[in-house]
Amino acid sequence: DHAAQWETSLTMALEPGTVATDAFPERDAPNPPGVHGKPVADITPQLAADNLRRCLDGIVHKATELVGQAAER
């Protein structure tokens, strides 16, 4: 993913004012040149929040695992 759905949705969730949704292609249109991944036109505020939650859940899971490993030493 480069500037496509994942990266753009995380940016939208964290700093919504920095994402120019008016520059998104029409639905069902291909991504602009240089944008590689799932279509940016499919991003919604809910998808942005869901993707951020997935990312944070993964970070918490890994941090918990690492703290547990450190405690075992």
Side-chain angles (χ1 to χ4, degrees):
D1 187 286
H2 175 70
Q5 202 175 94
W6 179 252
E7 289 179 351
T8 305
S9 69
L10 290 178
T11 302
M12 182 184 281
L14 294 168
E15 293 290 339
T18 65
V19 177
T21 56
D22 58 330
F24 286 3
E26 295 293 321
R27 276 194 132 19
D28 299 321
N31 281 329
V35 177
H36 304 286
K38 292 184 178 180
V40 292
D42 293 341
I43 299 171
T44 63
Q46 184 60 54
L47 177 66
D50 291 347
N51 283 345
L52 179 59
R53 172 57 45 205
R54 284 185 199 96
C55 186
L56 294 174
D57 287 348
I59 292 168
V60 168
H61 177 79
K62 188 62 177 180
T64 302
E65 178 185 311
L66 293 171
V67 167
Q69 290 172 358
E72 292 173 1
R73 293 184 197 164

